[in-house]
C-alpha cells in the first residue's frame, strides 16, 4: 500500500523555476535512497538526482548547479528544486524511492517504488 505522490510539474519559460514534491504514504516503512528520474520523448529514462537517507546528494552532469535535491525524513518527502530551466529539461519526471516495508512481524527486503510521473515542459 506504499504510494509515491508527485506534484509541482507544469509549463515554464526557459530560465524559469519549478519545484517538484514527492510524498511517500501508506503503512510502516523505512526509506533509504530517493531520487528523481526523467524521460523525454524518444529517449530512455535517466537519473536526474538522488539523495541518501542521510541527505547526501548526487546529480547528473547536465543539471549540476541548476537543480537541488533535498528531503525531509520526518515528512517522508523528497523535493527537486529546478532553476534556470532549459528546453532540454522537458520530460516526464518520476520520483523513486528504495523502501523497506514492515509487514507486522518483520521488515521486508528493500524494493523500488515509483511515483506516477509529472510533466515538466520548458518553452523556448
Amino acid at each position: 500500500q506504499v504510494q509515491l505522490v508527485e506534484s509541482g510539474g507544469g509549463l515554464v519559460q526557459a530560465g524559469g523555476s519549478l519545484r517538484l514534491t514527492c510524498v511517500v504514504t501508506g503503512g510502516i516503512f523505512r526509506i533509504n535512497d530517493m531520487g528523481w528520474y526523467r524521460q523525454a520523448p524518444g529517449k530512455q529514462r535517466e537519473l536526474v538526482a538522488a539523495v541518501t537517507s542521510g541527505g547526501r546528494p548526487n546529480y547528473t552532469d547536465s543539471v549540476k548547479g541548476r537543480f537541488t535535491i533535498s528531503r525531509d525524513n520526518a515528512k517522508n518527502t523528497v523535493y527537486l528544486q529546478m532553476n534556470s530551466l532549459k528546453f532540454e529539461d522537458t520530460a516526464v519526471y518520476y520520483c523513486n524511492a528504495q523502501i523497506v516495508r514492515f509487514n507486522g512481524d518483520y521488515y521486508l527486503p528493500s524494493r523500488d517504488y515509483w511515483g506516477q510521473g509529472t510533466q515538466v515542459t520548458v518553452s523556448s
Side-chain angles (χ1 to χ4, degrees):
Q1 295 181 340
V2 172
Q3 294 184 335
L4 278 61
V5 181
E6 302 179 24
S7 62
L11 173 64
V12 298
Q13 293 182 337
S17 298
L18 285 173
R19 189 194 193 201
L20 305 183
T21 299
C22 175
V23 182
V24 181
T25 64
I28 301 173
F29 53 84
R30 304 291 290 185
I31 306 175
N32 296 319
D33 293 351
M34 306 183 78
W36 290 92
Y37 292 72
R38 67 186 180 188
Q39 187 166 22
K43 294 187 176 181
Q44 295 183 354
R45 185 184 301 180
E46 66 170 342
L47 176 66
V48 178
V51 59
T52 67
S53 61
R56 178 172 55 84
N58 191 38
Y59 304 94
T60 190
D61 287 342
S62 64
V63 308
K64 288 181 179 177
R66 300 188 298 119
F67 291 10
T68 302
I69 188 170
S70 61
R71 64 191 290 169
D72 186 336
N73 290 334
K75 297 180 179 180
N76 297 318
T77 300
V78 63
Y79 307 93
L80 185 67
Q81 179 66 46
M82 304 184 293
N83 298 326
S84 302
L85 282 163
K86 304 175 180 179
F87 175 76
E88 304 93 278
D89 297 317
T90 296
V92 177
Y93 284 70
Y94 297 92
C95 178
N96 169 265
Q98 297 179 3
I99 296 175
V100 176
R101 190 170 63 86
F102 186 68
N103 72 351
D105 291 317
Y106 53 86
Y107 284 92
L108 299 172
S110 179
R111 58 157 286 186
D112 282 347
Y113 290 82
W114 293 89
Q116 79 280 7
T118 184
Q119 177 71 48
V120 172
T121 303
V122 183
S123 63
S124 60

